[in-house]
Amino acid sequence: MRAVIQRVSHASVTINGSTKSAIGQGFLILLGVCGEDTTEDVDWLVRKIAALRVFNDDEGVMNRSIMDVGGKCLVVSQFTLFASYKKGNRPSWFRAATHDISVPLYEEFCRKLEAATESTVATGEFGADMKVELLNDGPVTICMDTKNKE
């Protein structure tokens, strides 16, 4: 499972011209699921993101978590995080999980992140053509991969 976590001042997802979800300060999380991912990957990633201290304290030091600042999360499914680009110029998506694996793990991730942060998690729409807008704050962008925990 891969995640790109961006600290944002605001972020939104629009589908067919209508806003599906929008948040103020918090995290925009692009989430990719591969075929080998399990509930253990979800649990590890949720723990890391909920405790990630990248929000400024009173001294301007990144020392606060999303919960400390009352921030929100917007999670967008992103199978392209598993693009294979080694051969040719057209990426292959063979490492991305099929819908029967990715949808349940995506939904589980959102539920568990909501419980861990004690805050409603906004989402995109799985498989939809989404327009994602954000104002990256910092910029702060962190990439996590559950297969590379060290």
Side-chain angles (χ1 to χ4, degrees):
M1 191 168 276
R2 289 184 178 157
V4 176
I5 303 113
Q6 297 179 80
R7 185 179 77 180
V8 298
S9 296
H10 62 84
S12 64
V13 172
T14 301
I15 302 170
N16 296 324
S18 297
T19 300
K20 162 87 166 77
S21 298
I23 63 167
Q25 178 186 35
F27 288 145
L28 169 64
I29 302 167
L30 304 176
L31 184 70
V33 179
C34 77
E36 296 83 40
D37 287 333
T38 66
T39 295
E40 288 77 30
D41 295 292
V42 170
D43 293 341
W44 183 85
L45 196 54
V46 165
R47 276 193 313 274
K48 293 300 279 187
I49 292 172
L52 191 61
R53 297 183 341 188
V54 295
F55 293 92
N56 293 344
D57 62 18
D58 295 335
E59 285 76 44
V61 176
M62 287 194 277
N63 202 26
R64 291 188 173 152
S65 71
I66 188 106
M67 295 174 294
D68 295 333
V69 299
K72 301 293 183 189
C73 293
L74 171 56
V75 181
V76 176
S77 62
Q78 189 74 51
F79 75 93
T80 60
L81 291 177
F82 282 100
S84 175
Y85 44 83
K86 292 184 180 186
K87 292 173 81 177
N89 293 318
R90 183 173 184 271
S92 170
W93 319 114
F94 72 92
R95 292 200 55 224
T98 56
H99 277 80
D100 60 318
I101 295 170
S102 56
V103 172
L105 287 175
Y106 170 80
E107 291 172 350
E108 180 181 357
F109 175 84
C110 292
R111 278 192 313 274
K112 288 183 173 181
L113 185 61
E114 198 166 80
T117 60
E118 300 175 351
S119 178
T120 303
V121 169
T123 63
E125 184 176 311
F126 202 92
D129 180 17
M130 297 174 273
K131 306 302 179 207
V132 180
E133 185 176 339
L134 68 135
L135 180 58
N136 192 317
D137 179 17
V140 174
T141 302
I142 309 283
C143 298
M144 292 186 185
D145 190 324
T146 61
K147 303 304 187 255
N148 187 19
K149 295 177 185 172
E150 298 183 23

